[in-house]
Every structure is written in structure tokens, then in C-alpha cells.
């Protein structure tokens, strides 16, 4: 796409704004100064870019956030708890949400829902309230993955994870030694 086509697209999008829009007025003033030679290409680009970013931050993002909140209100995950007696499912569906990011990885996830809600027991049959070893952490991740789809977010930091989806119906995975995993969907 040539510079002239991009400039024309920008002008067209600006002209679509309402006449009394302060962003439109500022952009038109910059374009006028540019055409009169008062601003260089770089100066006009930087000024226009600054205004467009402020417009997006002040106008577009709040509209999108409002739409997301309305959708969330109409589709509360806590309304879709399959097994009210399953403390892990209840904790995940009431304390987390799709898109939630945990900067400290699974440790942040466990703090949010509570390790005690993973329904794990130590070798003496006592409830685990703090994960201590690698086997416990691996088991905790296995439990979490039955209820949620987790993606790594290395763009944020090396430990960051994000909830991509929370399953309406938990997936139970049973693995026997020497066999391929069997996936059971628990109603």
C-alpha cells in the first residue's frame, strides 16, 4: 500500500467522525499545517499517531470493555457449574475468568483459587494446602487442565500463563502405565 493510499484512508476515516468531535478537529488542523508546509512528514505523523492512540484509548476501548462486561453478565460461568459438590470446579468458575492472566504462572493461579480447593491429599490422607514438590505441582497442573485450557504467555514474562477457556463440563483424564490416555467427560 502506498503512502498516498494510506493517507487517503486516514483522511476518509477522519471525515467519518462527527463534526464536533475534538479528535477530528485536531487531526484536520494537523493536516492543514502539513499541507501549508508548517510540519514535516515525521512531525505530522507523530502528532496524528498520538491523537489516534488517545482516541482509541478514550473512545474505542471503553466501548469494547462495556460490550465485554455485558456479555460476561449474560454468561456467568458460575451458572454452569456441573457438580456443585466439586470444590475445584466451583473455585475455578467463581474465582477466575476467561482471558485472566497470571504473571507468576501456575503459582498465581493456585493462589487465586486456593490450593486447598484442588482436593489433593498427601500420603497420610490429609488435605494439601501448600504445594511442596515437583510431583505435587505436576498433579495440580493436571487437575487444573481438566477444567481450563491454559496458554503460556512468554511475551509477558517467562512464567506468565493465561486462561484461554474454562470448560463447561470438566474433562477427566485417566492414564494407565503403558497405555495411551483415555479421556472421560464427566457430566
Amino acid at each position: 500500500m502506498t503512502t498516498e493510499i494510506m493517507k487517503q484512508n486516514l483522511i476518509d476515516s477522519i471525515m467519518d467522525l462527527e463534526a464536533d468531535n475534538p479528535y477530528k478537529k485536531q487531526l484536520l488542523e494537523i493536516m492543514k499545517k502539513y499541507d501549508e508546509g508548517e510540519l514535516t512528514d515525521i512531525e505530522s505523523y507523530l502528532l496524528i499517531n498520538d491523537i489516534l492512540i488517545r482516541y482509541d484509548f478514550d473512545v474505542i476501548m471503553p466501548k469494547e470493555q462495556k460490550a465485554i462486561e455485558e456479555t460476561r453478565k449474560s454468561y456467568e460461568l458460575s451458572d454452569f457449574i456441573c457438580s456443585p459438590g466439586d470444590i475445584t470446579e466451583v473455585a475455578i468458575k467463581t474465582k477466575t475468568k476467561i482471558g485472566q492472566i497470571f504473571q507468576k504462572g501456575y503459582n498465581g493461579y493456585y493462589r487465586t483459587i486456593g490450593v486447598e480447593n484442588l482436593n489433593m491429599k498427601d500420603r497420610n490422607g490429609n488435605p494439601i494446602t501448600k504445594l511442596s514438590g515437583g510431583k505435587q505441582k505436576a498433579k495440580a497442573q493436571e487437575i487444573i487442565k481438566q477444567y481450563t485450557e491454559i496458554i503460556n504467555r512468554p511475551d509477558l514474562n517467562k512464567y506468565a500463563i493465561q486462561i484461554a477457556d474454562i470448560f463447561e463440563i470438566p474433562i477427566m483424564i485417566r492414564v494407565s502405565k503403558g497405555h495411551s490416555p483415555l479421556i472421560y467427560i464427566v457430566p
Side-chain angles (χ1 to χ4, degrees), residues 73-85:
K73 286 178 186 173
S74 66
Y75 181 76
E76 287 292 330
L77 286 170
S78 59
D79 294 340
F80 294 98
I81 295 175
C82 294
S83 305

Side-chain angles (χ1 to χ4, degrees), residues 1-136:
M1 185 178 290
T2 66
T3 306
E4 286 302 314
I5 292 173
M6 291 189 308
K7 181 180 175 185
Q8 190 58 49
N9 288 344
L10 180 61
I11 292 169
D12 292 344
S13 65
I14 293 168
M15 293 305 159
D16 289 342
L17 296 173
E18 301 84 30
D20 62 341
N21 187 307
Y23 299 98
K24 180 176 182 176
K25 290 177 184 177
Q26 292 172 0
L27 291 169
L28 290 173
E29 183 65 31
I30 292 168
M31 289 177 5
K32 179 182 170 191
K33 287 181 179 182
Y34 175 76
D35 288 340
E36 294 172 353
E38 294 178 33
L39 294 173
T40 65
D41 288 346
I42 299 294
E43 291 171 330
S44 59
Y45 170 78
L46 292 173
L47 290 169
I48 288 172
N49 191 47
D50 182 54
I51 291 168
L52 292 176
I53 289 171
R54 279 188 280 129
Y55 179 76
D56 184 44
F57 187 74
D58 295 342
V59 178
I60 304 297
M61 288 176 62
K63 286 181 183 177
E64 290 175 355
Q65 190 63 34
K66 184 178 177 185
I68 289 168
E69 289 301 320
E70 288 174 5
T71 303
R72 187 173 288 135
K73 286 178 186 173
S74 66
Y75 181 76
E76 287 292 330
L77 286 170
S78 59
D79 294 340
F80 294 98
I81 295 175
C82 294
S83 305
D86 182 351
I87 60 172
T88 307
E89 180 183 8
V90 172
I92 288 172
K93 290 185 177 179
T94 58
K95 296 180 180 185
T96 64
K97 61 186 178 210
I98 295 171
Q100 189 169 356
I101 295 172
F102 301 95
Q103 294 288 339
K104 295 186 178 184
Y106 283 97
N107 290 334
Y109 196 122
Y110 303 143
R111 259 186 252 114
T112 301
I113 65 166
V115 173
E116 64 279 357
N117 291 322
L118 293 174
N119 204 20
M120 293 174 56
K121 308 242 186 266
D122 65 13
R123 64 180 83 175
N124 297 328
N126 300 320
I128 294 176
T129 57
K130 183 179 179 186
L131 299 174
S132 58
K135 287 184 180 181
Q136 286 182 350

